[in-house]
Amino acid sequence: MTVQEIFESMDYGTAPESAADALAWLVDQGDRFGHFIGGAMTDPGQVFESRNPANGEVLAHLTQGTQADVDAAVAAARKAQKAWAKLGGAGRARYIYALARLMQKHARLFAVLETLDNGKPIRESRDIDVPLAQRHFYYHAGQAQLFDSEFAGREAHGVCGQVIPWNFPLLMLTWKVAPALAAGNTVVLKPAEYTSLTALLFADMCRQAGLPKGVVNIVTGDGSVGEMIVTHPDVDKVAFTGSTAVGRRIREATAGSGKALTLELGGKSPYIVFEDADLDSAVEGLVDAIWFNQGQVCCAGSRLLVQEGVADRFYAKLKARMDKLRVGSPLDKSIDVGAIVDPKQLETITRLVDSNIAGETYRAACEMPESGCFYPPTLITGLSTADPLMQEEIFGPVLVGTTFRTPSEAVDLANNTRYGLAATLWSENINVALDIAPKLVAGVVWINGTNMFDAAAPFGGVRESGFGREGGPEGMMAYTKPSGSGKAL
Ligand code: TAP
């Protein structure tokens, strides 16, 4: 089934007109998409397939960007930037509010498209990804409105080159685009190769909102397009979210170029359960921490540390809960765990888990689909702290677990990683929680909860998880520089 056929067969519920509008746009494109440059879709060029990971069917054909495409996108962004900045914060806010409202109007379509393209459960795209994306635009429309007073003495960098991963395609786009626009920058964005459809739908929201041509440009394709964008001499600021390996390459490639840079990279976040924790809640939290989005989450609580006295009880509860998780068609609203994003990622997860010879592997006894990119919720215990599985990001529904005796041992184990993105701790004792939290080396620490995001709360890592923050006033600052410094304006 193609995207068009799926949309045609869907019941749009409460938003028939908006979905029909967007559907009309998709049908107009055929199933071949060009780039969004200078306010219009380009003709498709050399195309590659974008597939539904749940069943392997081709959803659409997308264009592999070239140097000429990137040059055209950067030129369009440069041409638009001065006037966009001159509009002033309140002027820009009008457009950003319009984008937020359009995303709200087309929420259902965004959610379905994201689920088809990425494989995440529809419940998550509908209730988490898309609402958070809208919220990000509303929040940054507010930031734009305040820009001239709150950010007096600062101005936009100019043209921003933005490269994003496949795990939260729309949400990562909004984290990049909304603050950049609010501060008066224009952007050239590359979505991940296999999850570009919601970015292209967003491009159409830009058109519908009447956003001035060239303020947002989207070029699709593989990593080489990302490289062309981040190294382009006329890009003033680079914002990247993705793996630590690619982040390192980007830092090397931009060193000495004068470009501003923020990197949001990988993680191996600890999830600490103290013996006085409410164990049932901690198990539910863990389901969210590691099986949300099939564990393909930068801040996934992928390293369980549980205090020895309650370890047996906790593991028993956890395994019982794992067995009840439902793995299956991402479009099914009752599903907890959807599809892995593509066969290559599935292969990586399988290879890593199969490399485990030192520990004990427990696979959830849940029913598995017969075909498609699926992997069962998995727990590996009994590994030494130096084991690669305890140290490397698996980026799949795989939890590794170990025990600790004392709070200080918990802190040592938690910080025994090259990453520092997030950490979670569970305790009913506020003194323990408040004592331990500041000792954890992580950009964000959650207490008795996990994966709590808000557009107003800055998010980002330390160590090899990157630098810079997205969200909140800190996120806005990253898209500005002192007025009058540099070439951009
Ligand atoms: P990557 O392989 O690093 O890819 C990220 C993006 O960079 C993709 O669009 C990719 O293109 C592009 N890219 C590849 N090589 C490049 C190069 N040399 N120069 C410029 N761009 C290049 O990551 P991924 O596998 O998509 O995403 C998973 C990783 O992202 C995990 O490590 C995860 O922890 C991290 N992540 C971090 C955060 C935060 S906020 N810290 C949030 C989400 C994800 P392709 O389309 O060809 O892949």
Side-chain angles (χ1 to χ4, degrees):
M1 240 187 191
T2 64
V3 172
Q4 287 94 315
E5 286 162 348
I6 289 166
F7 286 134
E8 272 159 357
S9 67
M10 278 186 57
D11 165 16
Y12 284 105
T14 54
E17 273 185 28
S18 61
D21 286 350
L23 175 61
W25 169 75
L26 279 167
V27 171
D28 274 354
Q29 303 295 313
D31 76 336
R32 297 163 78 81
F33 293 82
H35 311 299
F36 183 66
I37 297 177
M41 293 302 290
T42 63
D43 289 336
Q46 188 196 332
V47 291
F48 60 93
E49 289 171 343
S50 187
R51 289 175 182 267
N52 178 347
N55 57 21
E57 288 174 359
V58 176
L59 290 169
H61 292 86
L62 309 176
T63 296
Q64 170 62 37
T66 61
Q67 186 65 55
D69 295 328
V70 172
D71 289 348
V74 173
R78 173 62 64 200
K79 191 169 166 204
Q81 201 268 325
K82 229 175 185 170
W84 178 245
K86 263 199 173 159
L87 262 184
R92 294 194 296 275
R94 256 186 52 223
Y95 290 102
I96 303 173
Y97 275 124
L99 283 171
R101 282 195 299 271
L102 279 163
M103 289 175 78
Q104 206 165 14
K105 182 175 169 196
H106 296 290
R108 193 180 166 98
L109 182 63
F110 270 111
V112 175
L113 200 52
E114 195 77 315
T115 281
L116 288 171
D117 206 16
N118 168 281
K120 61 178 68 206
I122 184 71
R123 225 173 44 197
E124 292 178 9
S125 29
R126 184 195 62 188
D127 298 345
I128 300 169
D129 295 52
V130 174
L132 279 178
Q134 293 157 13
R135 159 93 177 118
H136 220 73
F137 269 95
Y138 277 117
Y139 174 83
H140 285 94
Q143 288 288 326
Q145 235 159 4
L146 295 173
F147 190 79
D148 301 325
S149 56
E150 297 296 311
F151 294 88
R154 297 193 71 84
E155 65 187 12
H157 285 289
V159 174
C160 297
Q162 308 181 318
V163 180
I164 56 172
W166 45 258
N167 59 344
F168 293 92
L170 179 68
L171 193 58
M172 290 298 104
L173 174 148
T174 64
W175 280 26
K176 296 273 176 285
V177 173
L181 298 195
N185 301 277
T186 53
V187 308
V188 176
L189 175 131
K190 188 195 93 68
E193 186 175 358
Y194 298 116
T195 55
S196 301
L197 293 183
T198 47
L200 293 170
L201 182 60
F202 174 76
D204 197 56
M205 301 299 123
C206 296
R207 185 191 60 76
Q208 288 187 40
L211 196 70
K213 291 174 183 169
V215 169
V216 169
N217 304 274
I218 295 172
V219 182
T220 53
D222 64 16
S224 67
V225 178
E227 199 159 348
M228 290 171 208
I229 293 173
V230 303
T231 54
H232 197 288
D234 209 23
V235 164
D236 303 298
K237 182 206 158 74
V238 170
F240 171 78
T241 297
S243 62
T244 295
V246 173
R248 190 173 282 132
R249 282 185 64 171
I250 291 177
R251 193 162 192 190
E252 282 165 13
T254 54
S257 68
K259 295 180 200 300
L261 176 65
T262 43
L263 297 175
E264 300 280 1
L265 309 175
K268 187 79 176 178
S269 299
Y271 187 99
I272 312 170
V273 180
F274 287 97
E275 59 194 4
D276 61 4
D278 171 346
L279 296 190
D280 292 316
S281 299
V283 166
E284 281 314 307
L286 192 48
V287 167
D288 189 26
I290 184 64
W291 291 300
F292 167 54
N293 203 22
Q294 295 71 248
Q296 303 165 132
V297 181
C298 52
C299 53
S302 52
R303 234 171 5 117
L304 168 67
L305 310 176
V306 55
Q307 200 156 10
E308 248 178 33
V310 293
D312 288 348
R313 261 198 309 142
F314 189 77
Y315 280 130
K317 283 175 186 282
L318 177 61
K319 288 175 182 172
R321 183 68 181 89
M322 283 170 71
D323 292 345
K324 290 209 184 87
L325 289 171
R326 291 191 206 155
V327 182
S329 166
L331 281 173
D332 179 342
K333 291 193 203 74
S334 68
I335 279 310
D336 300 305
V337 179
I340 302 299
V341 70
D342 78 353
K344 264 195 297 181
Q345 184 64 15
L346 181 63
E347 212 180 289
T348 306
I349 297 167
T350 309
R351 180 174 43 76
L352 284 168
V353 174
D354 291 352
S355 74
N356 168 33
I357 40 169
E360 186 184 321
T361 301
Y362 180 81
R363 287 191 175 81
C366 50
E367 238 178 78
M368 291 296 292
E370 280 169 16
S371 60
C373 288
F374 293 93
Y375 199 86
T378 300
L379 165 70
I380 303 179
T381 51
L383 297 170
S384 76
T385 49
D387 193 291
L389 289 170
M390 291 290 281
Q391 294 291 335
E392 298 305 320
E393 192 179 31
I394 299 175
F395 226 57
V398 183
L399 175 70
V400 293
T402 191
T403 57
F404 66 89
R405 285 190 199 136
T406 62
S408 77
E409 194 189 347
V411 171
D412 289 345
L413 284 171
N415 293 338
N416 181 4
T417 165
R418 61 192 174 105
Y419 296 110
L421 192 54
T424 301
L425 72 86
W426 288 76
S427 169
E428 289 297 290
N429 183 337
I430 189 69
N431 295 320
V432 171
L434 294 180
D435 175 43
I436 298 299
K439 294 178 180 158
L440 300 173
V441 182
V444 56
V445 178
W446 291 301
I447 297 174
N448 292 344
T450 197
N451 279 343
M452 284 173 283
F453 302 102
D454 190 84
F459 184 86
V462 295
R463 292 178 169 169
E464 291 189 28
S465 292
F467 54 83
R469 293 292 177 268
E470 292 189 311
E474 287 86 346
M476 280 293 293
M477 281 297 277
Y479 280 98
T480 67
K481 63 186 172 75
S483 298
S485 61
K487 62 173 180 170
L489 293 175

